[in-house]
Amino acid sequence: TLGEALDGVPNVETRQHPMGSYPAPFGKRLQVTSKQGWMVTGFPEHFEIASRNPEGRVARIVRLSKPDVPMTAAVVDGHKARLFDNFGGSPEERSAMEADLALDQLPKTLPAYSAVKVDGMGRVWAREYIELDGMGPMNADMGKGPRWRPDVPARWYVFSNDGEFLGTVRLPLGFVVHDIGKDHIVGVIRDADDVEYVVGYPFRETR
């Protein structure tokens, strides 16, 4: 079954603690999407994505020759600035969170991508890694859904259903993709009052 096929696929990069393990900051997470009986899965340690048939067997693997992006002090410092903007916790809580973000405690590289989709033509889309905004990781773990940084445009890498790299698509700031059809993209965007609106964009493949 598909569930059995995914048993050997890593789920989330964790950090060990005397009280147990928990998702690592900037950790890599299993990305899964499905459409029309097919499922696409990928653990973004490297840029590699597997397409699986309804029985869960790998039908093809998409790879992109793209160097791993190293974790740097600049990335961590930027994350801290956003995380502690208007921080309402105690000094002790802040100190503990800062210790959790020590560079030598973090993964050595950033995830290769942060989401995958399949469109209405069977093309595979993979979004370039975008950091979660502030408390986004905690919100995601609590089932509230991820909040991606609204100040970073999303760039998606697109592959044909044969695995050929077709090119990239850059989407507007703050636009979160929900579904991709044969020739359109539907998602949500938030206004200045944090109200969500459904937005759609047409596209066409050019070669």
Side-chain angles (χ1 to χ4, degrees), residues 59-122:
R60 69 176 182 274
I61 295 179
V62 168
R63 295 184 178 94
L64 186 64
S65 179
K66 188 172 181 289
D68 298 333
V69 180
M71 182 69 66
T72 65
V75 170
V76 178
D77 289 345
H79 177 74
K80 286 180 180 179
R82 289 181 293 275
L83 181 64
F84 296 125
D85 183 32
N86 298 318
F87 181 69
S90 68
E92 292 78 12
E93 290 173 326
R94 176 169 180 147
S95 178
M97 294 173 72
E98 287 184 330
D100 200 41
L101 290 168
L103 185 61
D104 61 352
Q105 299 295 314
L106 295 172
K108 300 303 181 186
T109 60
L110 294 171
Y113 49 89
S114 53
V116 293
K117 293 285 186 184
V118 180
D119 70 18
M121 295 293 289

Side-chain angles (χ1 to χ4, degrees), residues 8 28 41 48 50 59 61-62 69-70 103 126 142 153 159 161 182 185:
K28 301 163 184 73
T41 64
E48 180 175 300
I61 295 179
V62 168
V69 180
L103 185 61
M142 294 172 63
F159 303 84
N161 53 17
K182 294 180 179 180
I185 302 175

Side-chain angles (χ1 to χ4, degrees), residues 40-53:
V40 171
T41 64
F43 187 75
E45 183 174 8
H46 305 292
F47 209 112
E48 180 175 300
I49 303 167
S51 291
R52 300 172 182 270
N53 63 23

Side-chain angles (χ1 to χ4, degrees), residues 24-204:
F26 296 97
K28 301 163 184 73
R29 294 170 178 261
L30 175 66
Q31 302 296 327
V32 180
T33 190
S34 62
K35 180 171 280 192
Q36 300 171 347
W38 287 79
M39 177 172 280
V40 171
T41 64
F43 187 75
E45 183 174 8
H46 305 292
F47 209 112
E48 180 175 300
I49 303 167
S51 291
R52 300 172 182 270
N53 63 23
E55 288 72 43
R57 291 190 293 271
V58 175
R60 69 176 182 274
I61 295 179
V62 168
R63 295 184 178 94
L64 186 64
S65 179
K66 188 172 181 289
D68 298 333
V69 180
M71 182 69 66
T72 65
V75 170
V76 178
D77 289 345
H79 177 74
K80 286 180 180 179
R82 289 181 293 275
L83 181 64
F84 296 125
D85 183 32
N86 298 318
F87 181 69
S90 68
E92 292 78 12
E93 290 173 326
R94 176 169 180 147
S95 178
M97 294 173 72
E98 287 184 330
D100 200 41
L101 290 168
L103 185 61
D104 61 352
Q105 299 295 314
L106 295 172
K108 300 303 181 186
T109 60
L110 294 171
Y113 49 89
S114 53
V116 293
K117 293 285 186 184
V118 180
D119 70 18
M121 295 293 289
R123 292 171 295 224
V124 175
W125 296 56
R127 183 180 58 200
E128 187 174 56
Y129 175 70
I130 298 178
E131 180 191 337
L132 288 165
D133 182 31
M135 298 301 289
M138 182 177 293
N139 288 339
D141 291 336
M142 294 172 63
K144 296 181 180 179
R147 293 289 297 271
W148 305 101
R149 284 183 56 187
D151 59 322
V152 178
R155 182 166 66 170
W156 290 76
Y157 298 88
V158 187
F159 303 84
S160 73
N161 53 17
D162 294 323
E164 177 189 359
F165 177 56
L166 299 176
T168 60
V169 175
R170 187 177 293 270
L171 295 174
L173 289 171
F175 181 72
V176 178
V177 176
H178 281 218
D179 186 67
I180 307 175
K182 294 180 179 180
D183 57 4
H184 65 277
I185 302 175
V186 177
V188 297
I189 198 163
R190 297 173 184 269
D191 64 13
D193 297 318
D194 207 32
V195 176
E196 288 187 343
Y197 293 89
V198 177
V199 180
Y201 296 103
F203 71 85
R204 69 178 186 274

